[in-house]
Amino acid sequence: MAIVADYRNLSVIVPAFNEEGGVQQTLEALKKNLPNAEIILVDDCSTDNTPEMAKKVDGVHILRHRFNRGYGAALKSGMVSSNREHIAWFDADGEHRTEDLQAMFKLLEERSLGAIIGRRQVKGQQKVRFYGKLVLRLWARLLGLRLDRDLNCGLRVFHKEAILPYLNMLPDRFSASTTSTMIMLEKKYPIEFFDIRTNPRIGHSKVRLRHGFETILNIFRISMIFAPLRIYGTLGAVLVVIGFVYGLGMALTVDKGFPAFALVVLMAGFFLLAIGAIADQISRWQLSAAGSHSLDLRRTPLAEPDGKH
Ligand SMILES: Nc1nc2c(ncn2[C@@H]2O[C@H](COP(=O)(O)OP(=O)(O)OP(=O)(O)O)[C@@H](O)[C@H]2O)c(=O)[nH]1
Ligand SMILES: [Mg+2]
């Protein structure tokens, strides 16, 4: 007898804003292919027929924001009301395939991972988006993070303990996906990227250029929360080295002692290092409170060493 996979351990959160074209089909596919999963549609105060279309599918929990709050806010509302151990994010526009979600969930459970993040193919992507994503990756790299190809794919699955303690760090808008990737990496949770295929979206895209700028700002914000010493420390060390080398060079070659300018640069470097050390203490203190529920996850025997991220 064939064993039918059971998804009673999983909540699927579907954020939707004006997705009357794709929402019914998306929910039907989830109901059919993920039996017993809890499916939560968060309608972000759509102005079209999204709620009516969603109601046509039985057994879906529908939450509705009273005003439009954004993609990240919708995901947070859904996650807070989820009752299962694992949480998936799944777009309402028909773009994601349930086969991919099934495979990702299986892997997450089998390997006790903190998260699995979808990785879309670069081929066929709009040029603008391709370069936008490149800028995001370079920016993250500059801040000391080696990120994989796709930071902000909307299809991902988490162990609840890996994401719930950080809900207040997730922004309300589109950068919630990039931010959640960074949180997983900064917390050194065992995670994997998983190659997925996507269908063309049904209906209009909601992504705008300003969302890219918001994301750049949020990458910086998260780095400051998790690893302030990396930013202040690098900048401080660079200034100290410049000040010292320049000052010493001038003192030895031009016979007028250590120049004042070099001293100022040196001092600025030391100040930045000191600020970094204090910020680091504050950050550790804050994060130990936020992440204390997640410690078990880090000790799971199947957890991968995270050196490869
Ligand atoms: N709750 C909520 N969901 C939103 C909002 N904007 C977009 N979404 C949903 O978030 C998901 C992803 O949005 P998309 O516009 O598809 O963004 P994308 O998948 O990155 O890019 P495209 O599919 O190419 O447009 C979809 O299910 C949208 O309905 C919003 O303001 N609030
Ligand atoms: Mg989409």
Side-chain angles (χ1 to χ4, degrees):
M1 199 172 67
I3 299 172
V4 180
D6 188 295
Y7 297 89
R8 69 184 67 231
N9 246 345
L10 178 69
S11 289
V12 186
I13 318 294
V14 185
F17 178 58
N18 291 349
E19 298 289 0
E20 62 183 4
V23 72
Q24 185 183 352
Q25 173 188 322
T26 302
L27 295 175
E28 275 166 357
L30 286 168
K31 277 296 313 166
K32 178 163 171 259
N33 298 319
L34 294 124
N36 300 320
E38 177 182 55
I39 297 168
I40 302 176
L41 177 99
V42 188
D43 166 35
D44 201 16
C45 200
S46 296
T47 51
D48 67 359
N49 287 324
T50 299
E52 288 73 20
M53 299 309 281
K55 278 182 204 146
K56 290 188 180 174
V57 186
D58 283 340
V60 173
H61 301 281
I62 300 180
L63 305 178
R64 183 167 163 86
H65 285 165
R66 289 168 62 196
F67 53 94
N68 181 250
R69 292 174 51 200
Y71 170 73
L75 289 167
K76 286 188 271 185
S77 299
M79 289 193 283
V80 165
S81 58
S82 136
N83 293 304
R84 310 286 169 89
E85 199 184 344
H86 300 102
I87 293 178
W89 298 1
F90 197 93
D91 284 0
D93 57 359
E95 204 181 351
H96 297 148
R97 303 175 335 135
T98 49
E99 300 93 294
D100 288 326
L101 177 53
Q102 287 171 328
M104 288 163 77
F105 178 63
K106 186 161 176 268
L107 200 66
L108 184 88
E109 272 204 319
E110 272 173 14
R111 306 192 50 197
S112 298
L113 296 171
I116 303 212
I117 296 170
R119 180 168 46 196
R120 294 161 290 184
Q121 286 170 340
V122 180
K123 241 183 8 200
Q125 213 171 52
Q126 281 175 309
K127 272 232 156 59
V128 158
R129 289 221 184 162
F130 175 80
Y131 288 117
K133 282 166 196 275
L134 194 70
V135 169
L136 290 185
R137 281 205 308 278
L138 289 175
W139 174 238
R141 194 63 172 270
L142 198 73
L143 296 175
L145 275 176
R146 266 194 56 216
L147 295 178
D148 217 310
R149 270 189 295 152
D150 200 354
L151 312 184
N152 53 356
C153 176
L155 176 56
R156 48 189 67 207
V157 200
F158 300 94
H159 191 291
K160 204 170 191 168
E161 288 190 15
I163 188 71
L164 280 197
Y166 305 103
L167 285 198
N168 60 353
M169 287 182 199
L170 290 186
D172 283 349
R173 302 266 158 206
F174 271 112
S175 45
S177 42
T178 309
T179 305
S180 75
T181 309
M182 289 192 63
I183 292 174
M184 296 300 112
L185 293 171
E186 291 284 14
K187 279 305 283 183
K188 307 222 179 324
Y189 284 135
I191 67 167
E192 292 259 333
F193 288 85
F194 185 91
D195 287 322
I196 62 164
R197 285 204 283 124
T198 49
N199 303 315
R201 91 173 323 286
I202 302 169
H204 299 295
S205 177
K206 315 291 183 305
V207 182
R208 302 284 173 272
L209 187 64
R210 73 186 151 83
H211 296 127
F213 293 115
E214 276 171 27
T215 305
I216 286 182
L217 213 80
N218 270 307
I219 291 181
F220 184 67
R221 209 183 106 240
I222 291 292
S223 288
M224 285 297 268
I225 295 174
F226 280 93
L229 199 54
R230 196 159 60 207
I231 296 171
Y232 286 114
T234 312
L235 222 60
V238 168
L239 289 186
V240 166
V241 170
I242 291 175
F244 187 72
V245 171
Y246 173 69
L248 202 67
M250 291 298 277
L252 292 177
T253 52
V254 186
D255 197 17
K256 282 190 183 160
F258 204 81
F261 176 69
L263 203 65
V264 170
V265 174
L266 203 64
M267 293 297 288
F270 279 126
F271 271 123
L272 281 182
L273 285 174
I275 292 173
I278 297 168
D280 186 60
Q281 292 304 313
I282 298 173
S283 139
R284 277 163 198 262
W285 182 39
Q286 274 188 333
L287 288 172
S288 63
S292 53
H293 314 288
S294 318
L295 289 177
D296 282 349
L297 188 75
R298 302 183 71 177
R299 284 195 217 110
T300 45
L302 285 173
E304 286 266 299
D306 39 65
K308 62 182 158 177
H309 300 308

